[in-house]
Structures are given as C-alpha cells and as structure tokens.
Amino acid sequence: MLFPVRMQGEEGVPTAERQNDFSRGSIPRNILMLAGPMTAAQLINILYNIVDRMYLGRLPGHLALTGLGLCLPIISILMGFANLCGMGGAPLCSICRGRGEEEEAEQVMGNSFTLLLLVGAALTVVILLFKKPILYLFGASPDTFPYADAYLTIYALGTLFVMVGLGMNPFINAQGFGKMGMCTVALGAVVNIVLDPIFIFALNLGVGGAALATVLSQCCSAVWVLRFLTGRRALLRLKASCLRLKASRVRRILGLGMSGFAMAMTNSLVQILCNAFLQLYGGDLYVGIMTIINSVREVISMPVQGITNGCQPVLGYNYGAEEYDRVRQGIRFTAVVTMLYSLAVWAMTLAIPGSLIRIFNDEADLIAAGIPAFRIYFAAFFCMSFQFIGQSTFVGLGKSRFAVFFSLLRKAFIVAPLTLLLPVLGMGVDGVFWAEPISNVVGGLACLLTMYCTVYRPLGRLEASKP
C-alpha cells in the first residue's frame, strides 16, 4: 500500500480522494481525467497567444504581424526555460508520489520555483540589454524592427510572470488537479482577450498594447498558480522551507527538464533560420506567412500535447509504484488517440489552407503565396504524433537522456541543416518549408521505434518477472 498523503487538517476527506491514486481504476479514464482539462488549457493558452496575431493581422499591411513573428523565437526561448524547471520537476513529483515520497516531492517543487525566479530575472536583463542586435539577427528589417521592438520591450518586463505561470502549473496537474490547471490558463486567456482590443484599437497602442495585454494576463495566471500551491487544497504545498536549492535535486530537475528545454530551443533555432532565409529569398511577405503557419501549427498540435502531457503524471505514478502493465496500457491508449487525431487534422489542414490563412490576414498576395507554402509544410504532419508519443513516454518515466536526444534530433540535426541546404540547392523559399515534413517522417519514426524497443518491450518483461 502506498504511503498516505498528510491530511493537513482536512478532517473527513477520504485518503484515496486526497491521494489522487493513479494506480487504481481505468488507465484511459485516469489519463482523460487529466488530459481533458489539460487539452482545454493548452487550446486556451494558444488561443490567447495567437489572439495578438489575429488582432495585429487586421492592422493595415502585414508589417505589424511580421514584427510580432520576429519575437516568437524569443518567446519560445522563454517557454523553454520555463519547461526546463517546471516540466523537469513535475514528472519527478509524480514519480515521488507513486513511491510515497511526499516530502521529497515538495522539495522538488520548491527547488523548481527558486530556479524559475532566478532564471526569469536573468533573462529579463539579457533581453532588455541586447534586444536590438537579437532582433536583427533573427531577421528584422528597418521596416519591421519598430514593431518587434515595441512588443518585445513590454513582453520582457513580464518574464517572471511567464516563468511562474507556465513553469509552476505542471505541479498542479501532477497532483491530479487537471481542472484547476486549466483554470490557470483560462483566467489568463479571458483577461488577454478582453484587454487586447481595448489596448490595440480603443487606446490606439498597437503592437505595444498587444504586449501589455499579454503581460497582464500572465500576471493573473501566475498569481492564481501561487495561491493554489500555497493553499489548503493542494496535496503538495509550496513552502519557504523547500526553496533552498540542493545540487543533486537541481541536477535531476534540469536533467529531465532538458527535453522540453531542448525542444523549445531547437524550435527557436529553426524559427530564426526560417525567418532569416525567408527574408533573404522572399522578403517580409514570407516571414509573415511563416508567422501564420506557426500559429496554425500551435493550434492544431495542442490537443496532441494535451493528451501526451496528460498521460505523463499517470505513467510516472504507475512507474514509481511498479505497476508496469498499467504503464504499457497508458502508452497504448495515448498512441491510438494521438494518431487518430493527427490523421484527422492533417487531412483538414491540407484541404482548407486558404480559410486558415484568412483567420489572420486576408491580403490577396499573402494568401496566394501562403496556400502552396501551407501544403508543403504540413505534408507529413501526421507523423508528428510519433514524436509526441515517444517523447511524452520518455519524460513521464524520467528517461532524460532519450528525451533530450530526440528533442534535438528532429529540429537541430534534421530541420536546421535542411533549412540551410535546400534553399541554396535551388529550391528557394520552398526549401525552407520542405525541411519540416522531411523531419516529421525521419525524426518521428526514430523516436517512436526507440521508445518501443527501449521502454515498452522491457516493461513487459519486468511485469512478467514480478512474483
């Protein structure tokens, strides 16, 4: 029997309910209990991230939208650092809970919070000091720099809110409070959606207004997370006594978090290369098209990420409790759901690219150039499900080396070199877009097959050997 969670003065509450014990009941139900709210949270999160792009795309011309697109790699970097601390610590919490090590789980959460604060403060200073050379390096032109600079300056001032809201929310989900985790994102989304038109249009603040609305919404999310994690409902509380860093614990957090960090950093690297080469071969128009493509990709991939993120606490808990057959059930269920969804959304994206582009901008030249670019970029999108399945399994079970390797493989070792080579070999802007589907097939299959051989089959042997 697992070590029970401390009741913390809440008399009359059943231990099993307090424990959120994922080693009991249906595996699909346990995963969906978390994945449903987490998927909704992911979609809401993307909605309030792209709502800026939707509003700015309605301003005259496409320079405001393009300027915001230049900031996306930097935003990806910030999210990568949040994942480094948050997504590194949350799976460890789930594994510790499965083993009954509640005190260590709280220590992991406290150390993650301290890391988030330290990293967030450092990033704020770096961005504000070096924003101009960074933006020009990332593909800005004299026409687009003023828009990118206005957005990034304000966004950088809210870096700590981003780190806390994004980095600590996984610790709510890791305790089984999926709906509460969804509310974190929903609160920020509502605030952003309400404030965006007021700041951008009514107050005529333009790009700066979009950034200000985003920062205020992230502040609300951060406050919500902290109030919950320090309140009575949390199974694991954020305490001052747990904030002091311990080297061995920090290494474990950062080691597992390197997967999400590497993925975000390599995504940022690819966005930088794409923007630079699209600027070189196609100009500001194609940078704007890539901004729209990235926005659509984020939206359609979020349900997949919601499912795979939802499975991680369940897989980690059962792995810590040595319920290996239940871990295999979770992997199978996640794989089937993820693949079916990916096939459906892949077909939709190829069928109506024009309609998707018009959500953000309806200029005729942008739509004409954007439709063929869409069909190339999303040609093999369904293979991304392979990457998500393998990656989430590695992270959920604490297999940090595999998780980091496959985060780097697809983007750093496949997409980035192809982005450099294909345009030079005569494919021009099309070469930039073709790099993505090639990497989806090669990287996705490699990740899935490795997970099957190194995790899924060995877990079967471990289950068979149990007395």
Side-chain angles (χ1 to χ4, degrees):
M1 184 172 178
L2 296 174
F3 184 80
V5 175
R6 296 183 306 277
M7 300 305 290
Q8 299 177 350
E10 295 187 38
E11 300 296 333
V13 182
T15 300
E17 180 180 331
R18 291 284 299 155
Q19 212 172 357
N20 284 336
D21 187 348
F22 298 130
S23 65
R24 304 178 183 181
S26 163
I27 282 289
R29 179 184 174 278
N30 285 339
I31 291 176
L32 292 176
M33 180 184 71
L34 291 179
M38 289 176 74
T39 300
Q42 294 277 20
L43 287 171
I44 295 168
N45 184 43
I46 288 301
L47 174 61
Y48 92 80
N49 280 328
I50 69 169
V51 74
D52 291 342
R53 306 169 210 178
M54 296 171 66
Y55 281 124
L56 293 177
R58 298 303 168 185
L59 294 175
H62 55 264
L63 292 180
L65 180 63
T66 302
L68 174 57
L70 295 168
C71 298
L72 296 183
I74 301 173
I75 294 173
S76 293
I77 291 172
L78 295 179
M79 291 182 175
F81 277 100
N83 288 335
L84 177 64
C85 306
M87 294 304 292
L92 291 178
C93 273
S94 295
I95 294 172
C96 289
R97 287 189 64 235
R99 294 172 178 165
E101 300 171 355
E102 306 296 329
E103 184 176 348
E104 176 60 20
E106 288 187 337
Q107 293 287 342
V108 168
M109 182 168 64
N111 276 214
S112 296
F113 180 68
T114 301
L115 289 171
L116 287 165
L117 294 181
L118 293 175
V119 172
L123 289 173
T124 301
V125 174
V126 171
I127 293 173
L128 292 176
L129 287 178
F130 301 105
K131 58 183 178 176
K132 185 172 183 178
I134 289 173
L135 287 172
Y136 273 103
L137 178 66
F138 288 6
S141 68
D143 292 330
T144 57
F145 174 77
Y147 297 97
D149 179 58
Y151 189 91
L152 184 60
T153 300
I154 296 175
Y155 190 93
L157 294 174
T159 299
L160 281 176
F161 302 140
V162 177
M163 301 298 287
V164 172
L166 184 62
M168 294 305 292
N169 203 43
F171 291 95
I172 296 179
N173 297 322
Q175 298 177 50
F177 295 102
K179 292 181 180 178
M180 189 61 61
M182 179 186 70
C183 290
T184 303
V185 184
L187 174 63
V190 170
V191 173
N192 193 48
I193 292 170
V194 170
L195 293 182
D196 252 333
I198 296 174
F199 289 167
I200 294 173
F201 301 112
L203 299 180
N204 199 30
L205 296 178
V207 174
L212 181 58
T214 300
V215 166
L216 291 175
S217 66
Q218 290 165 343
C219 176
C220 293
S221 294
V223 171
W224 175 274
V225 169
L226 293 180
R227 288 197 63 181
F228 179 82
L229 291 177
T230 56
R232 296 184 62 190
R233 290 191 59 191
L235 303 180
L236 307 173
R237 290 188 183 180
L238 185 60
K239 302 174 181 176
S241 60
C242 298
L243 300 183
R244 185 175 180 179
L245 298 178
K246 181 180 178 182
S248 60
R249 191 176 294 120
V250 169
R251 283 195 295 270
R252 292 168 61 208
I253 293 170
L254 299 183
L256 191 53
M258 279 299 297
S259 169
F261 177 73
M263 184 173 290
M265 295 299 287
T266 51
N267 279 338
S268 180
L269 170 64
V270 169
Q271 288 176 359
I272 293 166
L273 289 175
C274 287
N275 286 343
F277 273 74
L278 289 173
Q279 182 68 245
L280 178 63
Y281 286 94
D284 290 334
L285 176 67
Y286 278 91
V287 177
I289 291 171
M290 182 56 80
T291 301
I292 295 174
I293 286 177
N294 285 328
S295 301
V296 172
R297 188 199 68 229
E298 289 174 8
V299 173
I300 63 178
S301 64
M302 274 305 110
V304 177
Q305 293 188 35
I307 291 291
T308 53
N309 288 343
C311 81
Q312 288 177 18
V314 179
L315 297 183
Y317 192 102
N318 282 281
Y319 185 67
E322 299 184 358
E323 297 286 348
Y324 302 123
D325 187 57
R326 291 175 64 82
V327 177
R328 283 162 56 91
Q329 289 180 45
I331 294 172
R332 289 195 300 270
F333 175 76
T334 304
V336 170
V337 173
T338 299
M339 289 181 183
L340 290 176
Y341 170 82
S342 297
L343 284 169
V345 78
W346 166 70
M348 179 204 71
T349 305
L350 296 184
I352 56 169
S355 299
L356 296 174
I357 295 172
R358 289 186 181 91
I359 295 174
F360 298 90
N361 191 285
D362 56 4
E363 290 186 5
D365 56 342
L366 189 144
I367 293 173
I371 289 176
F374 254 69
R375 288 186 169 139
I376 293 172
Y377 188 91
F378 291 107
F381 179 78
F382 65 94
C383 291
M384 271 297 294
S385 63
F386 305 154
Q387 177 88 18
F388 282 123
I389 295 163
Q391 196 77 13
S392 63
T393 301
F394 291 137
V395 172
L397 303 187
K399 309 286 185 181
S400 58
R401 287 185 297 175
F402 286 113
V404 172
F405 174 77
F406 285 105
S407 293
L408 293 172
L409 174 66
R410 196 177 72 84
K411 289 291 188 179
F413 299 136
I414 302 176
V415 176
L418 289 177
T419 301
L420 292 170
L421 290 174
L422 295 181
V424 176
L425 295 177
M427 298 182 69
V429 292
D430 285 350
V432 177
F433 297 115
W434 270 114
E436 182 70 14
I438 294 172
S439 75
N440 287 343
V441 175
V442 178
L445 282 173
C447 185
L448 182 67
L449 292 174
T450 302
M451 183 276 293
Y452 176 79
C453 294
T454 63
V455 175
Y456 186 81
R457 291 183 65 185
L459 285 175
R461 291 193 292 268
L462 286 173
E463 182 65 26
S465 66
K466 288 171 63 177

